[in-house]
Amino acid sequence: MTHTLSASTLDDLMPVHRLHRDQRARLAASGQIAVLPTGKKLTATQEHPWIGYLLAGRVCLVTDGGKEI
């Protein structure tokens, strides 16, 4: 499920908060908010070249060194 992304959502997100307000508005128009089910696994190769942000909830990052919540 996806939702529309507002320009104000980008105001505090790094590094996009450095963009000019008009640039953030254009980025928001082409971006989206995806609601993922609990337990959904994503790999870095699936998301490349996108930037992903966790806006709410929890995420477990898994690397060769272990897991981090």
Side-chain angles (χ1 to χ4, degrees):
M1 172 188 280
T2 60
H3 300 279
T4 304
L5 179 63
S6 71
S8 63
T9 302
L10 303 177
D11 290 347
D12 297 321
L13 301 179
M14 296 170 109
V16 297
H17 77 283
R18 295 181 185 154
L19 296 172
H20 188 272
R21 187 176 69 182
D22 293 341
Q23 293 170 317
R24 286 195 310 271
R26 284 196 314 258
L27 180 61
S30 65
Q32 62 184 10
I33 295 175
V35 179
L36 302 177
T38 300
K40 172 73 175 168
K41 293 181 182 182
L42 299 174
T43 65
T45 56
Q46 287 174 314
E47 297 304 304
H48 178 75
W50 313 112
I51 295 176
Y53 295 95
L54 179 67
L55 299 178
R58 294 173 37 163
V59 66
C60 179
L61 300 174
V62 180
T63 65
D64 292 336
K67 295 180 181 180
E68 183 179 339
I69 303 282

